[in-house]
Amino acid sequence: MTQERAGVATLGGQPITLTGPELKVGDKAPEFTINKDLMTETSLSDFKGQIKLISVVPSLDTDVCDAQTRRFNQEASKLGENVVILTISADLPFAQTRFCAAAGIDRVVTLSDYKHRSFGRAYGVLIKELQLDHRAIFIVDADDTIRYVEYLQDMTAHPDYEAALEALRELAK
């Protein structure tokens, strides 16, 4: 049975239910299956040996998600060859590609959780009521151990960019 965490997050002040476990620093990063495009799937193991900043957004078509993705895209070139930034949402791959082209996003890998919701369930960010992924940041080391976690209290809030980037820089040294 899938774990549900009611009232741990909100959308505009209204409680929402997150599906899946609350991951913590030191946990092994769960495997997932997610789409690179409509037909091609990828998984955590495809990024083995790399440090991963996983930026989870509900939809790239919203202001905060747009800003979050642009910010990490700007920072990506400063982080070294062994670091990959993954932006994950339940948006269709077509919408992700269109967004990246329009916004000039070229250093962040966008991945879609639309098909299986595997990532959302494994990382405890799937919003039961909306079937979207809740905003969160995870930093996973080259051995797939979680080194930083931020689950946002409210879906419309920005993450702590500086704290996440500092944790990433420390790990990438």
Side-chain angles (χ1 to χ4, degrees), residues 121-133:
R121 283 186 191 90
Y123 284 70
V125 295
L126 182 63
I127 303 167
K128 179 181 178 180
E129 296 85 353
L130 303 174
Q131 293 300 295
L132 296 173
D133 290 338

Side-chain angles (χ1 to χ4, degrees), residues 49-120:
Q50 293 180 289
I51 297 167
K52 298 152 284 286
L53 184 148
I54 303 173
S55 173
V56 186
V57 298
S59 175
L60 292 169
D61 287 327
T62 65
D63 292 342
V64 177
C65 300
D66 178 304
Q68 183 173 327
T69 304
R70 288 175 191 264
R71 174 68 187 271
F72 287 127
N73 188 66
Q74 288 172 341
E75 299 290 340
S77 64
K78 305 172 195 171
L79 299 172
E81 302 258 334
N82 197 38
V83 176
V84 62
I85 298 178
L86 309 175
T87 293
I88 297 177
S89 73
D91 292 312
L92 289 173
F94 304 122
Q96 291 178 333
T97 299
R98 187 173 48 249
F99 167 80
C100 289
I105 303 298
D106 57 356
R107 295 181 194 101
V108 168
V109 177
T110 54
L111 299 170
S112 176
D113 200 19
Y114 88 98
K115 194 172 189 179
H116 304 291
R117 304 298 198 263
S118 169
F119 178 87

